[in-house]
Short mmCIF file of all heavy atoms in Angstrom, two decimals:
data_model
loop_
_atom_site.label_atom_id
_atom_site.label_comp_id
_atom_site.label_asym_id
_atom_site.label_seq_id
_atom_site.Cartn_x
_atom_site.Cartn_y
_atom_site.Cartn_z
N MET A 75 89.30 101.16 150.30
CA MET A 75 90.34 100.73 151.24
C MET A 75 91.24 101.87 151.65
O MET A 75 91.37 102.87 150.95
CB MET A 75 91.18 99.64 150.62
CG MET A 75 92.02 100.12 149.47
SD MET A 75 93.10 98.80 148.91
CE MET A 75 93.72 99.51 147.42
N ILE A 76 91.86 101.70 152.81
CA ILE A 76 92.94 102.56 153.25
C ILE A 76 94.22 101.82 152.90
O ILE A 76 94.47 100.73 153.38
CB ILE A 76 92.85 102.82 154.76
CG1 ILE A 76 91.59 103.61 155.07
CG2 ILE A 76 94.10 103.55 155.25
CD1 ILE A 76 91.37 103.88 156.54
N TYR A 77 95.01 102.40 152.01
CA TYR A 77 96.23 101.72 151.57
C TYR A 77 97.48 102.31 152.20
O TYR A 77 98.57 101.78 152.05
CB TYR A 77 96.35 101.69 150.05
CG TYR A 77 96.35 103.05 149.38
CD1 TYR A 77 97.52 103.77 149.22
CD2 TYR A 77 95.17 103.60 148.90
CE1 TYR A 77 97.52 105.00 148.62
CE2 TYR A 77 95.15 104.82 148.28
CZ TYR A 77 96.33 105.53 148.14
OH TYR A 77 96.32 106.75 147.54
N GLN A 78 97.35 103.42 152.90
CA GLN A 78 98.47 103.98 153.67
C GLN A 78 97.86 104.66 154.87
O GLN A 78 97.04 105.57 154.74
CB GLN A 78 99.24 105.00 152.83
CG GLN A 78 100.35 105.67 153.60
CD GLN A 78 100.92 106.87 152.86
OE1 GLN A 78 100.49 107.20 151.76
NE2 GLN A 78 101.86 107.53 153.48
N SER A 79 98.23 104.22 156.03
CA SER A 79 97.62 104.71 157.26
C SER A 79 98.55 105.70 157.97
O SER A 79 99.71 105.86 157.60
CB SER A 79 97.32 103.53 158.17
OG SER A 79 96.50 103.93 159.22
N VAL A 80 98.03 106.34 158.98
CA VAL A 80 98.79 107.26 159.82
C VAL A 80 98.75 106.69 161.23
O VAL A 80 97.68 106.35 161.73
CB VAL A 80 98.15 108.67 159.82
CG1 VAL A 80 98.90 109.60 160.75
CG2 VAL A 80 98.10 109.24 158.43
N ASN A 81 99.89 106.59 161.86
CA ASN A 81 99.94 106.11 163.24
C ASN A 81 99.70 107.29 164.17
O ASN A 81 100.55 108.16 164.32
CB ASN A 81 101.30 105.47 163.53
CG ASN A 81 101.36 104.90 164.93
OD1 ASN A 81 100.42 105.00 165.71
ND2 ASN A 81 102.49 104.30 165.26
N VAL A 82 98.52 107.33 164.79
CA VAL A 82 98.15 108.46 165.65
C VAL A 82 98.31 108.13 167.13
O VAL A 82 97.93 108.93 167.98
CB VAL A 82 96.71 108.95 165.35
CG1 VAL A 82 96.62 109.47 163.93
CG2 VAL A 82 95.70 107.85 165.60
N LYS A 83 98.89 106.98 167.44
CA LYS A 83 99.11 106.62 168.85
C LYS A 83 100.11 107.61 169.46
O LYS A 83 101.12 107.94 168.86
CB LYS A 83 99.64 105.20 168.96
CG LYS A 83 98.60 104.17 168.63
CD LYS A 83 99.13 102.77 168.81
CE LYS A 83 98.05 101.79 168.42
NZ LYS A 83 98.51 100.43 168.40
N GLY A 84 99.79 108.04 170.64
CA GLY A 84 100.68 108.97 171.34
C GLY A 84 100.45 110.43 170.97
O GLY A 84 101.16 111.30 171.46
N TRP A 85 99.50 110.69 170.11
CA TRP A 85 99.20 112.08 169.76
C TRP A 85 98.31 112.65 170.86
O TRP A 85 97.15 112.30 170.97
CB TRP A 85 98.48 112.16 168.42
CG TRP A 85 99.34 111.89 167.22
CD1 TRP A 85 100.50 111.19 167.18
CD2 TRP A 85 99.07 112.31 165.89
NE1 TRP A 85 100.97 111.14 165.90
CE2 TRP A 85 100.11 111.83 165.08
CE3 TRP A 85 98.05 113.04 165.30
CZ2 TRP A 85 100.18 112.06 163.71
CZ3 TRP A 85 98.12 113.27 163.93
CH2 TRP A 85 99.17 112.79 163.15
N GLU A 86 98.85 113.54 171.65
CA GLU A 86 98.09 114.15 172.73
C GLU A 86 98.12 115.66 172.59
O GLU A 86 99.12 116.24 172.19
CB GLU A 86 98.67 113.73 174.08
CG GLU A 86 98.56 112.24 174.32
CD GLU A 86 99.17 111.80 175.64
OE1 GLU A 86 99.76 112.65 176.34
OE2 GLU A 86 99.05 110.61 175.96
N ASN A 87 97.00 116.28 172.94
CA ASN A 87 96.87 117.73 172.93
C ASN A 87 97.24 118.35 171.59
O ASN A 87 97.91 119.37 171.53
CB ASN A 87 97.72 118.35 174.04
CG ASN A 87 97.31 117.85 175.40
OD1 ASN A 87 96.12 117.77 175.70
ND2 ASN A 87 98.28 117.46 176.21
N ARG A 88 96.81 117.72 170.52
CA ARG A 88 97.08 118.24 169.18
C ARG A 88 95.79 118.72 168.53
O ARG A 88 94.73 118.16 168.76
CB ARG A 88 97.73 117.18 168.31
CG ARG A 88 99.11 116.76 168.80
CD ARG A 88 99.78 115.90 167.79
NE ARG A 88 101.02 115.33 168.32
CZ ARG A 88 101.87 114.66 167.57
NH1 ARG A 88 101.63 114.44 166.30
NH2 ARG A 88 102.97 114.16 168.10
N ASN A 89 95.93 119.73 167.73
CA ASN A 89 94.83 120.22 166.89
C ASN A 89 95.13 119.78 165.47
O ASN A 89 96.07 120.27 164.85
CB ASN A 89 94.72 121.74 166.98
CG ASN A 89 94.33 122.20 168.37
OD1 ASN A 89 93.71 121.46 169.13
ND2 ASN A 89 94.72 123.40 168.72
N ILE A 90 94.33 118.85 164.98
CA ILE A 90 94.64 118.13 163.75
C ILE A 90 93.66 118.52 162.66
O ILE A 90 92.45 118.49 162.86
CB ILE A 90 94.58 116.62 164.01
CG1 ILE A 90 95.57 116.25 165.13
CG2 ILE A 90 94.85 115.83 162.73
CD1 ILE A 90 95.26 114.95 165.83
N LEU A 91 94.22 118.85 161.50
CA LEU A 91 93.42 119.14 160.32
C LEU A 91 93.50 117.96 159.36
O LEU A 91 94.61 117.54 159.00
CB LEU A 91 93.92 120.40 159.60
CG LEU A 91 93.27 120.70 158.25
CD1 LEU A 91 91.79 120.99 158.41
CD2 LEU A 91 94.00 121.85 157.56
N ILE A 92 92.35 117.44 158.97
CA ILE A 92 92.28 116.39 157.95
C ILE A 92 91.71 117.06 156.71
O ILE A 92 90.62 117.65 156.76
CB ILE A 92 91.38 115.23 158.41
CG1 ILE A 92 91.91 114.66 159.73
CG2 ILE A 92 91.31 114.14 157.34
CD1 ILE A 92 90.90 113.87 160.51
N ILE A 93 92.43 116.97 155.60
CA ILE A 93 92.03 117.71 154.41
C ILE A 93 92.03 116.83 153.16
O ILE A 93 92.89 115.97 153.00
CB ILE A 93 92.90 118.96 154.20
CG1 ILE A 93 92.33 119.82 153.07
CG2 ILE A 93 94.35 118.61 153.99
CD1 ILE A 93 92.88 121.23 153.05
N ASP A 94 91.05 117.07 152.32
CA ASP A 94 90.98 116.44 151.01
C ASP A 94 90.59 117.52 150.01
O ASP A 94 90.18 118.61 150.41
CB ASP A 94 89.94 115.31 151.02
CG ASP A 94 90.21 114.24 149.96
OD1 ASP A 94 91.11 114.45 149.11
OD2 ASP A 94 89.52 113.22 149.99
N ASP A 95 90.71 117.23 148.72
CA ASP A 95 90.35 118.25 147.75
C ASP A 95 88.84 118.42 147.65
O ASP A 95 88.34 119.52 147.49
CB ASP A 95 90.98 118.01 146.38
CG ASP A 95 90.74 116.63 145.80
OD1 ASP A 95 90.04 115.80 146.42
OD2 ASP A 95 91.28 116.36 144.71
N ILE A 96 88.08 117.33 147.77
CA ILE A 96 86.62 117.43 147.68
C ILE A 96 85.95 116.49 148.69
O ILE A 96 86.45 115.39 148.94
CB ILE A 96 86.12 117.13 146.25
CG1 ILE A 96 84.63 117.46 146.12
CG2 ILE A 96 86.44 115.71 145.82
CD1 ILE A 96 84.14 117.56 144.69
N ALA A 97 84.86 116.96 149.26
CA ALA A 97 84.00 116.12 150.10
C ALA A 97 82.77 115.84 149.25
O ALA A 97 81.90 116.68 149.10
CB ALA A 97 83.63 116.83 151.39
N ASP A 98 82.75 114.66 148.64
CA ASP A 98 81.70 114.27 147.71
C ASP A 98 80.62 113.49 148.46
O ASP A 98 79.64 114.05 148.91
CB ASP A 98 82.33 113.45 146.58
CG ASP A 98 81.38 113.09 145.48
OD1 ASP A 98 80.28 112.58 145.78
OD2 ASP A 98 81.71 113.29 144.31
N SER A 99 80.84 112.22 148.66
CA SER A 99 79.88 111.39 149.41
C SER A 99 80.17 111.44 150.92
O SER A 99 79.31 111.16 151.73
CB SER A 99 79.96 109.94 148.94
OG SER A 99 81.24 109.42 149.25
N GLY A 100 81.41 111.79 151.27
CA GLY A 100 81.83 111.78 152.67
C GLY A 100 82.52 110.49 153.05
O GLY A 100 83.02 110.35 154.17
N ASP A 101 82.56 109.52 152.13
CA ASP A 101 83.16 108.21 152.43
C ASP A 101 84.60 108.31 152.90
O ASP A 101 85.01 107.62 153.83
CB ASP A 101 83.10 107.30 151.21
CG ASP A 101 81.69 106.83 150.88
OD1 ASP A 101 80.77 107.07 151.71
OD2 ASP A 101 81.51 106.23 149.81
N THR A 102 85.38 109.17 152.27
CA THR A 102 86.80 109.27 152.61
C THR A 102 86.98 109.74 154.05
O THR A 102 87.73 109.15 154.83
CB THR A 102 87.52 110.21 151.64
OG1 THR A 102 87.34 109.71 150.31
CG2 THR A 102 88.99 110.30 151.94
N PHE A 103 86.29 110.81 154.43
CA PHE A 103 86.40 111.32 155.80
C PHE A 103 85.86 110.30 156.80
O PHE A 103 86.46 110.08 157.85
CB PHE A 103 85.66 112.65 155.93
CG PHE A 103 86.38 113.80 155.28
CD1 PHE A 103 85.97 114.27 154.05
CD2 PHE A 103 87.45 114.41 155.90
CE1 PHE A 103 86.62 115.33 153.44
CE2 PHE A 103 88.13 115.47 155.31
CZ PHE A 103 87.71 115.93 154.06
N ASN A 104 84.73 109.69 156.48
CA ASN A 104 84.16 108.68 157.38
C ASN A 104 85.11 107.49 157.55
O ASN A 104 85.29 107.00 158.66
CB ASN A 104 82.79 108.20 156.86
CG ASN A 104 81.69 109.19 157.16
OD1 ASN A 104 81.67 109.81 158.22
ND2 ASN A 104 80.78 109.38 156.22
N MET A 105 85.71 107.03 156.44
CA MET A 105 86.66 105.90 156.53
C MET A 105 87.86 106.29 157.39
O MET A 105 88.31 105.50 158.22
CB MET A 105 87.13 105.47 155.14
CG MET A 105 86.13 104.64 154.38
SD MET A 105 86.75 104.17 152.74
CE MET A 105 88.08 103.04 153.19
N PHE A 106 88.39 107.49 157.16
CA PHE A 106 89.56 107.91 157.93
C PHE A 106 89.24 107.91 159.42
O PHE A 106 89.97 107.30 160.22
CB PHE A 106 90.04 109.30 157.50
CG PHE A 106 91.22 109.76 158.31
CD1 PHE A 106 92.50 109.42 157.91
CD2 PHE A 106 91.06 110.46 159.49
CE1 PHE A 106 93.60 109.79 158.67
CE2 PHE A 106 92.14 110.83 160.26
CZ PHE A 106 93.41 110.50 159.85
N LEU A 107 88.18 108.59 159.81
CA LEU A 107 87.88 108.73 161.23
C LEU A 107 87.45 107.41 161.89
O LEU A 107 87.74 107.20 163.07
CB LEU A 107 86.82 109.81 161.44
CG LEU A 107 87.34 111.22 161.16
CD1 LEU A 107 86.22 112.23 161.19
CD2 LEU A 107 88.45 111.60 162.14
#
Side-chain angles (χ1 to χ4, degrees):
M75 68 174 170
I76 295 177
Y77 58 86
Q78 177 192 359
S79 192
V80 177
N81 183 358
V82 297
K83 289 182 182 173
W85 287 24
E86 297 178 356
N87 301 315
R88 295 190 188 188
N89 295 334
I90 302 158
L91 172 64
I92 303 160
I93 188 164
D94 205 352
D95 53 2
I96 189 165
D98 185 310
S99 64
D101 289 351
T102 302
F103 286 102
N104 283 321
M105 282 180 68
F106 178 88
L107 290 172

